Amino acid sequence: MVEYVKVCSNCGSRDIEPSRNVGYVPGLTGNERYFCRSCGQESVPLLIDESKVENENKDGFYKVAMVPIDTANTKLENIVSEIQWDGNEYVTTDNQTIFEEYKSTIRNNRCSNTIILDLMGIKTRHPNYKILKNIVKPKYNIWLDIGIHNDEDIFDAFTLDAGRVICSSICVSSVQVYEEAFDLSDHILPCICTCGDKVQWKSSANETDLFRVIESLKRIGYEEIIIIDLDCLGKNKGPDKSYASRISETFSGIIFGGGVREEDVTDLKNLKLRGVILDPEFN
């Protein structure tokens, strides 16, 4: 017997819930309307044969949109910026757009999640909470990187209703911070950034071999780890697929980013990756 499931008519996601908008009463006000947590749109859902639902929704493969937000100037609208790594920190390029306009790119790419990077928080350790509160909404399934340095920063990030909090190696001093973070919450997602095949830490006196760091995080108990190849980030030349392949062999929970474009997703999905993170996309 064929079984049908309700999916978002805009992006095809099954992560939907009945509308909570004032004025809509389920069963009384016209066609039923649902809100989609994946794309943020409200619509009348479609009934789809469950056997034909996209594999991306069924197998749990993450396709995540990276959205770096430049919050340094509060007088400007929330700016999404392309970023690169200059050897010491993230720098923005001339490719920029307004966050409200960029949402359409996320929807068009049918991303399952969104990573918000607060560039000012990562650089200065002083996130712009006023701006972030207007961006980070539970319904958008946001993963948030505000520049976690210690446990206090973790608590601050969760006050913004983030679905998961990113703890990046470029901000923390050692693996010990990941041990403390793991004890605090199971919604922490470690992000290991590499450049020239070496892990980038806030402090230089740490293990730089990526594969040893991955093993350390696995021993702590992490089931998913983000790896960002800073060498390819923002270069518009695509990811290093051979590098991604080597990393994927070490652990089934790797979410890989750094230069990933929409056209690269299929090839990377064929590896043993848990997911991919798309670079910001600009026309």
Side-chain angles (χ1 to χ4, degrees):
M1 181 177 178
V2 177
E3 294 186 9
Y4 292 92
V5 294
K6 294 177 181 178
V7 301
C8 172
S9 61
N10 180 64
C11 72
S13 171
R14 290 189 292 178
D15 190 12
I16 60 177
E17 64 179 4
S19 172
R20 298 178 183 176
N21 283 346
V22 175
Y24 171 70
V25 181
L28 296 178
T29 314
N31 292 325
E32 62 177 351
R33 300 185 68 81
Y34 278 70
F35 176 82
C36 178
R37 299 187 186 92
S38 295
C39 71
Q41 297 295 299
E42 184 180 290
S43 63
V44 177
L46 298 176
L47 283 177
I48 303 293
D49 181 345
E50 186 172 27
S51 66
K52 296 180 180 179
V53 174
E54 290 187 43
N55 288 334
E56 187 167 281
N57 291 325
K58 294 184 67 175
D59 61 16
F61 181 86
Y62 294 117
K63 185 167 76 168
V64 187
M66 176 186 285
V67 183
I69 299 291
D70 188 355
T71 61
N73 191 337
T74 57
K75 295 181 181 179
L76 297 176
E77 296 183 80
N78 306 324
I79 300 298
V80 178
S81 299
E82 181 181 61
I83 57 173
Q84 297 178 352
W85 183 253
D86 71 352
N88 295 296
E89 62 183 15
Y90 290 134
V91 294
T92 59
T93 73
D94 292 333
N95 286 328
Q96 298 180 332
T97 191
I98 298 170
F99 178 70
E100 290 301 319
E101 296 179 358
Y102 193 75
K103 286 180 181 178
S104 62
T105 299
I106 298 173
R107 290 195 296 270
N108 291 340
N109 286 341
R110 297 189 176 186
C111 293
S112 58
N113 305 78
T114 302
I115 291 181
I116 298 291
L117 279 72
D118 174 18
L119 298 179
M120 187 171 76
I122 293 170
K123 183 176 181 178
T124 69
R125 200 176 173 180
H126 296 292
N128 191 321
Y129 291 105
K130 181 178 180 180
I131 287 180
L132 291 173
K133 284 180 180 178
N134 293 325
I135 296 175
V136 181
K137 307 292 184 182
K139 63 185 180 181
Y140 295 138
N141 201 7
I142 298 294
W143 298 356
L144 182 62
D145 186 348
I146 61 171
I148 298 297
H149 291 73
N150 54 35
D151 54 359
E152 293 182 3
D153 296 333
I154 293 172
F155 291 127
D156 289 341
F158 279 120
T159 64
L160 292 166
D161 291 322
R164 301 183 77 172
V165 170
I166 307 295
C167 191
S168 177
S169 64
I170 63 173
C171 295
V172 303
S173 57
S174 70
V175 172
Q176 183 178 350
V177 177
Y178 290 115
E179 295 176 358
E180 298 168 353
F182 185 82
D183 290 336
L184 286 173
S185 172
D186 57 0
H187 292 288
I188 301 297
L189 188 53
C191 175
I192 305 303
C193 298
T194 67
C195 184
D197 290 336
K198 294 188 177 182
V199 177
Q200 303 297 294
W201 298 94
K202 179 177 176 60
S203 172
S204 59
N206 288 287
E207 177 61 67
T208 60
D209 182 88
L210 173 62
F211 300 101
R212 291 195 185 106
V213 172
I214 291 174
E215 286 301 317
S216 296
L217 294 174
K218 287 167 60 177
R219 285 195 296 271
I220 292 171
Y222 286 103
E223 297 181 355
E224 295 175 342
I225 302 169
I226 292 175
I227 305 295
I228 300 292
D229 180 7
L230 297 174
D231 291 316
C232 293
L233 182 67
K235 301 296 178 61
N236 300 310
K237 296 180 180 179
D240 185 337
K241 294 178 183 177
S242 64
Y243 186 48
S245 179
R246 295 201 311 274
I247 295 171
S248 70
E249 296 293 335
T250 66
F251 184 39
S252 61
I254 297 295
I255 304 169
F256 183 79
V260 179
R261 304 162 299 183
E262 178 65 28
E263 63 199 76
D264 302 308
V265 173
T266 299
D267 287 343
L268 292 173
K269 190 173 182 179
N270 289 332
L271 302 178
K272 298 176 182 179
L273 293 169
R274 181 73 173 88
V276 295
I277 300 172
L278 276 67
D279 272 21
E281 178 183 307
F282 299 89
N283 297 324

